[in-house]
Amino acid sequence: MGHSQAEKSQTHDELVRIAARRFRELGFDGLSIADLMNQAGLTQGGFYKHFASREDLLLEALTAALKDGEAPRKKKQGKSPAKLSFDAVVDGYLSESHRDDPGTGCAVGALMNDVGRAGAAARKLYTGQVERNFRLLDQLLGAADSSAGRAEAILAYSAMTGAVGLARAVSDRNLSNEILITVRNYLKDEFQAKSQAK
Amino acid sequence: MGHSQAEKSQTHDELVRIAARRFRELGFDGLSIADLMNQAGLTQGGFYKHFASREDLLLEALTAALKDGEAPRKKKQGKSPAKLSFDAVVDGYLSESHRDDPGTGCAVGALMNDVGRAGAAARKLYTGQVERNFRLLDQLLGAADSSAGRAEAILAYSAMTGAVGLARAVSDRNLSNEILITVRNYLKDEFQAKSQAK
DNA sequence: TGTACATCAGTGAACGCGCGTTCACTGATGTAC
DNA sequence: TGTACATCAGTGAACGCGCGTTCACTGATGTAC
């Protein structure tokens, strides 16, 4: 059992990566330390060589999850730096694949309820990402009137997070798809169209 | 320790009432059976005189929570059967008091993430309420074109649940209020106005 | 370059604790006569 | 109406279990000479 310095930080990153995915899938209460370590191919005792406590992991994993769910679904299969347009973001966010795979998706949506019940530190990290995402959408909408742009960004983000949350919770596949499609069409028609008309 | 038949069903209702509130506040994992019984002034052993299992309670409490969070915030303080308009629903749903008191509010929003990770039975109950709420909003919007009404109902409900979820999770009070106000104004201006113009 | 030693990532058993659940018991309620 | 008995809501201790956390230990890595 070798353990160079490089291997340690590699293991650390791997643990954060797994936790960031599993917390989004299972919620903050759904992943135990033993499960996490086993999924990394390790035993549970080693956990405390990497984190001071479960809460410590929680915050690191939340940071990572918020970051890689940023500008959600930027990249589709092949194209690495797919061009970032409002329409592309809406299509990605409200896609069936994003609905079906919360583990790699937007942490703001996947952990909305969890963070609302969490401690101050987690909520602060989350708040920063929400504000960043509002700004990103505002910028993509590129409205002439910037206060109207921000309002539309807030509405669009609220609608997208709500729609994906509902689409994930609902057990009727048709209703779930209807939610995604309806909100997708509305946002693209109403906002992007308006924005382009200027 | 008396226990007439009437007292039993009274106790049962009280347990469901407390659980329906606490699950919305704490999530499905946040309430233990011992806590529930203590909050009802009883000891934990009695739980199984009322429910076959924790899962059984979960489903009864979810049913109750979905029902009393229906047509959310219908009633303000005094007026019992406050008139139910689209504007009134939007104002109530996106109010600070609804944000600050998830325990008595809309279960669809408060338990969105939790239900997404829950079993088939919980998701089925939830699905029914989502569909009912879509229909209620559709009806309140009373659009001439009924498919446009449904689309607007879906968009409005997605935006409201997302906005309240974000407003609850974010730790910056100003940002939280901005989300509520922005979505409230947008929905009232854009949808109700449109609907009235017809 | 080769040897001796300190470091420390990872192991795996153990800790106390709270969980959901079970159970023998209590005593007021409701029923039979 | 009064007495004897069955029922069963609620009690409180105990169950096995998984949780987060601790700890003595192992053995490859990296350093000192």
Side-chain angles (χ1 to χ4, degrees):
Chain A
M1 61 210 71
H3 54 277
S4 66
Q5 291 165 352
E7 280 167 344
K8 177 176 184 184
S9 81
Q10 207 172 306
T11 299
H12 185 94
D13 291 352
E14 173 73 357
L15 291 173
V16 171
R17 210 183 55 76
I18 294 171
R21 176 166 53 77
R22 300 298 277 160
F23 277 137
R24 275 175 281 181
E25 291 171 359
L26 309 171
F28 287 156
D29 293 332
L31 177 66
S32 74
I33 284 164
D35 283 350
L36 169 68
M37 297 307 282
N38 291 343
Q39 279 163 42
L42 301 173
T43 56
Q44 59 178 321
F47 178 83
Y48 295 89
K49 287 280 150 44
H50 291 280
F51 306 96
S53 66
R54 188 183 195 278
E55 181 68 13
D56 187 22
L57 166 73
L58 199 291
L59 296 177
E60 265 205 65
L62 177 59
T63 303
L66 289 166
K67 195 168 293 171
D68 86 9
E70 200 178 11
R73 304 275 129 173
K74 265 199 270 256
K75 62 274 182 185
K76 286 267 172 178
Q77 297 89 316
K79 3 180 175 176
S80 296
K83 73 162 191 287
L84 202 54
S85 68
F86 180 79
D87 274 23
V89 168
V90 169
D91 279 334
Y93 206 104
L94 295 166
S95 67
E96 292 188 42
S97 73
H98 186 211
R99 176 197 61 197
D100 295 338
D101 187 12
T104 65
C106 173
V108 172
L111 295 168
M112 189 158 70
N113 292 159
D114 293 82
V115 170
R117 303 167 196 137
R123 297 180 65 192
K124 194 160 186 188
L125 291 171
Y126 187 91
T127 304
Q129 191 62 49
V130 169
E131 179 60 34
R132 249 170 273 133
N133 286 352
F134 285 166
R135 292 208 177 127
L136 174 67
L137 289 176
D138 185 357
Q139 185 190 311
L140 289 177
L141 280 162
D145 178 346
S146 78
S147 87
R150 182 170 172 87
E152 289 187 350
I154 290 174
L155 191 284
Y157 200 57
S158 296
M160 289 195 296
T161 54
V164 169
L166 293 174
R168 281 175 182 155
V170 140
S171 58
D172 180 317
R173 184 95 180 175
N174 290 330
L175 182 59
S176 180
N177 287 341
E178 186 190 9
I179 294 166
L180 294 180
I181 293 167
T182 302
V183 174
R184 203 193 301 159
N185 287 342
Y186 182 93
L187 292 179
K188 290 200 291 180
D189 287 358
E190 212 66 32
F191 285 11
Q192 188 64 336
K194 232 195 278 183
S195 169
Q196 285 171 338
K198 278 170 190 165
Chain B
M1 62 210 69
H3 54 276
S4 66
Q5 291 164 351
E7 280 166 344
K8 176 175 184 183
S9 81
Q10 208 171 307
T11 298
H12 185 94
D13 291 353
E14 173 73 355
L15 291 174
V16 171
R17 211 183 53 77
I18 293 171
R21 177 166 53 77
R22 300 298 277 160
F23 278 137
R24 275 175 282 180
E25 291 171 358
L26 308 172
F28 287 157
D29 294 333
L31 177 66
S32 74
I33 284 163
D35 283 350
L36 168 68
M37 297 307 281
N38 292 342
Q39 279 163 42
L42 301 172
T43 55
Q44 59 178 319
F47 178 83
Y48 295 89
K49 288 280 152 41
H50 292 280
F51 307 97
S53 66
R54 189 183 194 279
E55 181 68 14
D56 187 21
L57 165 74
L58 199 293
L59 296 177
E60 264 205 64
L62 177 59
T63 303
L66 288 167
K67 197 168 292 171
D68 85 9
E70 200 177 12
R73 306 272 128 175
K74 263 199 272 256
K75 61 274 180 184
K76 285 267 173 180
Q77 297 88 316
K79 4 180 175 175
S80 294
K83 73 163 190 289
L84 203 53
S85 68
F86 180 78
D87 274 22
V89 168
V90 169
D91 280 333
Y93 205 103
L94 295 166
S95 67
E96 292 188 41
S97 73
H98 186 211
R99 176 197 60 196
D100 296 338
D101 187 13
T104 65
C106 171
V108 173
L111 295 168
M112 190 159 67
N113 291 157
D114 293 82
V115 171
R117 304 167 196 136
R123 298 181 64 192
K124 193 160 186 186
L125 291 172
Y126 187 93
T127 304
Q129 192 62 49
V130 168
E131 179 60 35
R132 251 170 274 132
N133 286 352
F134 284 166
R135 292 208 177 126
L136 175 66
L137 289 176
D138 185 357
Q139 185 189 312
L140 289 176
L141 280 163
D145 178 346
S146 78
S147 86
R150 182 170 173 88
E152 290 186 351
I154 291 173
L155 191 284
Y157 200 57
S158 297
M160 290 195 295
T161 54
V164 169
L166 293 174
R168 281 175 182 155
V170 141
S171 57
D172 181 317
R173 184 94 179 178
N174 290 330
L175 182 59
S176 180
N177 287 340
E178 186 190 10
I179 294 167
L180 294 180
I181 293 168
T182 301
V183 174
R184 202 193 301 158
N185 288 341
Y186 182 93
L187 292 180
K188 290 200 292 180
D189 287 359
E190 211 66 33
F191 285 13
Q192 189 65 335
K194 230 195 280 184
S195 170
Q196 284 171 341
K198 276 166 191 167

